[in-house]
Amino acid sequence: MASTTRPRSGTIPSMESSGQELKENTVIVVLGASGDLAKKKTYPALFGLYRMGFLPTDVKIVGYARTKMDDAEYHKRITSYIKKPDGDAEFDEALNQFKAFSSYISGGYDDSESFQNLNAALEKIESGYKSKDRNRVFYLALPPSVFIPVAKHLKEQCHAPNGINRIIIEKPFGKDLESARELLSSVKEHWSEEETFRIDHYLGKEMVKNLLVLRFANVALNAAWDKNSISNVQITFKEPFGTEGRGGYFDEFGIIRDILQNHLMQVLSILTMERPVSFAAEDIRDEKVKVLRAIPPIEREDTLLGQYVGAHGKPGYLDDDTVPRNSNCPTYAATTLWIHNPRWEGVPFILKAGKALNEAKVEIRIQFKDVTQGIFKDIGRNELVMRIQPAEAVYLKLNTKTPGLHTRAIPTEMDLTYKRRFTDAKIPEAYESLILDALKGDHSNFVRNDELDVAWKIFTPILHWIDGHNGAKPTPVPYPYGSRGPKEVEPFISKYGFKRSQADN
């Protein structure tokens, strides 16, 4: 009779221990509370953590923004993206409780008086505490243009003298190496590295967090994880929609700053770093910085830029009224990076990201080298694919004999699709995971200042070329809205050794 015993879980002690966890006497201040990021991501994540019992006891949430609104309008706004699951009888009561401990105060971002008012509101809440501890978490759901004055005023007017203070900052962290350094040094004047949590929400995604375990807990995988076995690696980000009226913001940053320099580089660093001494935050971040330092700046010839044009009844990028006329801003980019260390020398890492494509997908595709031919002919390559979103999955493409009397080799897949394997598991949202990490004081999944500095060094020359700092700006190649991207992508990835299997066509 088959055993029904569940497999025993292996522990990861250094990953399970963290910093000083905030369990009580805590106020979470959401700055930019009236904006899209707050209502679409921050507040739904806070509500999710509340429902799962992960927020500190008797927590209070204070929204802060320039917009003048009463509590009713504020509560309506912050719950507008919180969806009620089918058959959840306790949802309405939980939502009312969430509203009850969430309040709002309006004020500016660059004047002392506004922050003195905010501090007075926080002190009023804290006056009911039984102990002297005053823990404050400041979440900056704000545009980067106000990061510096807000960080300064929060430290000067709202930093609690008794207790723990933490500041969570959203990307983008600058536009190039120089502006990033200015931002980093300005925030550092007021907030220590230990108090600062720089969010890149990709580090909160389940499959990105799983990369560390997949790599270092499996001898079978780790043995083939180098230049001797791997031909090339692609990390791909695809969005099926364009700028849709947000062209003004996007045009200032472009696809490289928006996706490649942060999200995809975070994935790359975890994929390629050496085994850390432990899974403690600084040990992980030390190894990420080491591998990033081995990557030289991207070359122009290793870059392909595209911009979508109208197709299938959808407007092109330049048809968006919020986009400057004749903009050369790339909405698609493929760049190839090289890592000059003993493990990865000679392996191309191709990062691809684009808007207005044929599907929504983020995945890592590791293509192994050709099997020695001789006894085989036209046999496909092995590939390890890790789908980050949607529908998290890991699958390994293998060659196997076809069943029956004929001896033929066909490609097949060993497939770990999460929703089939982990049927009862609830995969948390990235923001839920990261806000919880910040409450725990765990920096593992946040970006350290030297890590950011090295990443900007890799991308700044290519960004300055696109922005026209060193002569004429490059002209992106056109690709139709809803397509797989520029037709030039196929020859671009082929020149780095990628071979598309017949099953992929």
Side-chain angles (χ1 to χ4, degrees):
M1 186 175 171
S3 169
T4 56
T5 308
R6 290 181 65 130
R8 192 161 55 88
S9 298
T11 58
I12 310 170
S14 56
M15 194 178 266
E16 289 167 7
S17 64
S18 58
Q20 203 164 354
E21 186 169 357
L22 305 182
K23 294 184 176 178
E24 57 185 3
N25 297 351
T26 300
V27 181
I28 299 170
V29 183
V30 180
L31 296 104
S34 61
D36 269 4
L37 176 65
K39 71 181 180 185
K40 290 179 181 176
K41 298 293 183 184
T42 315
Y43 282 103
L46 288 168
F47 179 68
L49 290 173
Y50 171 64
R51 292 224 60 194
M52 292 183 278
F54 284 116
L55 289 187
T57 308
D58 295 327
V59 70
K60 297 290 185 287
I61 298 171
V62 176
Y64 181 90
R66 292 191 186 113
T67 309
K68 296 244 187 316
M69 54 182 163
D70 59 19
D71 275 358
E73 173 60 26
Y74 166 67
H75 289 145
K76 182 182 175 185
R77 196 172 289 208
I78 68 171
T79 57
S80 58
Y81 279 81
I82 297 174
K83 295 181 177 66
K84 180 177 181 176
D86 293 337
D88 189 341
E90 297 169 1
F91 176 87
D92 292 335
E93 185 185 346
L95 194 65
N96 286 332
Q97 290 167 351
F98 182 71
K99 290 176 184 176
F101 61 74
S102 300
S103 57
Y104 179 77
I105 180 170
S106 66
Y109 294 133
D110 49 14
D111 65 292
S112 298
E113 190 181 345
S114 290
F115 287 88
Q116 286 165 6
N117 291 340
L118 173 60
N119 189 57
L122 299 180
E123 286 180 341
K124 187 177 178 183
I125 290 169
E126 292 164 344
S127 64
Y129 291 174
K130 289 175 182 157
S131 73
K132 289 183 180 176
D133 291 341
R134 305 282 188 270
N135 303 320
R136 296 178 179 180
V137 177
F138 301 99
Y139 190 114
L140 273 57
L142 293 166
S145 56
V146 296
F147 281 174
I148 293 172
V150 168
K152 175 177 181 287
H153 286 301
L154 285 175
K155 179 60 188 282
E156 291 174 353
Q157 272 82 37
C158 300
H159 198 273
N162 299 314
I164 294 167
N165 295 266
R166 290 177 182 153
I167 185 169
I168 303 172
I169 302 176
E170 279 277 355
K171 77 165 188 78
F173 314 110
K175 290 187 70 178
D176 56 12
L177 181 60
E178 188 181 347
S179 59
R181 281 180 172 171
E182 183 188 348
L183 179 60
L184 287 169
S185 61
S186 298
V187 172
K188 214 171 180 178
E189 278 179 37
H190 308 288
W191 293 85
S192 70
E193 187 67 22
E194 189 180 346
E195 292 175 316
T196 307
F197 292 77
R198 298 176 197 86
I199 274 198
D200 183 317
H201 73 270
Y202 265 56
L203 290 175
K205 289 188 179 290
E206 183 66 25
M207 188 55 71
V208 176
K209 296 180 93 164
N210 191 20
L211 271 176
L212 290 170
V213 178
L214 281 172
R215 278 199 60 191
F216 299 117
N218 296 293
V219 173
L221 278 185
N222 205 37
W225 213 265
D226 60 25
K227 64 185 180 186
N228 299 316
S229 302
I230 292 173
S231 165
N232 59 82
V233 178
Q234 290 184 64
I235 306 173
T236 303
F237 171 99
K238 299 173 85 173
E239 263 182 355
F241 48 83
T243 49
E244 324 296 358
R246 289 184 69 245
Y249 167 83
F250 182 84
D251 203 81
E252 188 183 346
F253 291 95
I255 197 75
I256 293 178
R257 290 184 182 93
D258 201 36
I259 305 297
L260 272 74
Q261 185 274 336
N262 38 71
H263 299 332
L264 301 195
M265 282 300 284
Q266 287 298 326
V267 175
L268 174 73
S269 63
I270 296 170
L271 192 69
T272 58
M273 64 186 243
E274 294 300 316
R275 181 188 171 104
V277 176
S278 79
F279 278 158
E282 297 316 308
D283 290 337
I284 291 172
R285 301 202 295 181
D286 285 347
E287 295 302 336
K288 286 169 71 182
V289 171
K290 275 185 201 170
V291 78
L292 290 175
R293 287 178 63 192
I295 303 173
I298 298 163
E299 301 287 347
R300 295 180 187 186
E301 55 267 29
D302 286 332
T303 305
L304 171 67
L305 305 173
Q307 188 183 85
Y308 67 89
V309 294
H312 312 296
K314 296 283 192 176
Y317 180 67
L318 296 180
D319 300 327
D320 187 332
D321 291 339
T322 60
V323 170
R325 290 187 66 189
N326 302 321
S327 169
N328 77 312
C329 178
T331 60
Y332 182 99
T335 60
T336 303
L337 289 75
W338 307 90
I339 303 174
H340 295 317
N341 67 15
R343 181 184 292 273
W344 297 114
E345 186 71 57
V347 177
F349 288 84
I350 305 160
L351 309 187
K352 301 183 300 179
K355 299 181 84 66
L357 297 176
N358 60 326
E359 61 183 332
K361 184 171 73 174
V362 182
E363 74 173 21
I364 303 162
R365 182 175 296 266
I366 297 169
Q367 189 170 78
F368 293 90
K369 292 187 172 181
D370 288 320
V371 69
T372 304
Q373 297 299 304
I375 55 175
F376 296 110
K377 184 182 177 186
D378 301 330
I379 198 160
R381 286 178 166 181
N382 295 148
E383 288 185 353
L384 177 65
V385 179
M386 289 167 274
R387 193 185 310 125
I388 296 169
Q389 68 181 46
E392 293 87 347
V394 183
Y395 57 93
L396 179 63
K397 290 190 175 185
L398 298 171
N399 294 302
T400 187
K401 176 191 170 295
T402 54
L405 298 176
H406 293 288
T407 306
R408 299 278 187 274
I410 60 164
T412 188
E413 294 172 359
M414 291 177 65
D415 186 351
L416 166 60
T417 296
Y418 271 44
K419 65 184 177 188
R420 288 203 295 267
R421 174 63 183 83
F422 305 111
T423 49
D424 298 330
K426 178 193 179 296
I427 295 176
E429 293 295 325
Y431 278 89
E432 291 175 349
S433 179
L434 291 172
I435 291 171
L436 180 59
D437 283 345
L439 291 169
K440 287 179 174 178
D442 183 355
H443 282 85
S444 307
N445 298 303
F446 294 87
V447 186
R448 201 165 69 187
N449 61 346
D450 55 345
E451 189 182 339
L452 202 53
D453 193 89
V454 180
W456 276 117
K457 279 182 186 171
I458 295 166
F459 281 91
T460 291
I462 213 85
L463 289 167
H464 283 180
W465 170 53
I466 293 166
D467 292 340
H469 289 210
N470 311 308
K473 296 179 179 182
T475 303
V477 297
Y479 64 95
Y481 196 119
S483 67
R484 294 178 64 175
K487 64 181 187 302
E488 292 84 356
V489 172
E490 208 63 34
F492 178 84
I493 58 176
S494 296
K495 76 177 181 180
Y496 298 106
F498 175 75
K499 291 186 180 178
R500 190 174 292 284
S501 68
Q502 289 180 344
D504 290 334
N505 289 328

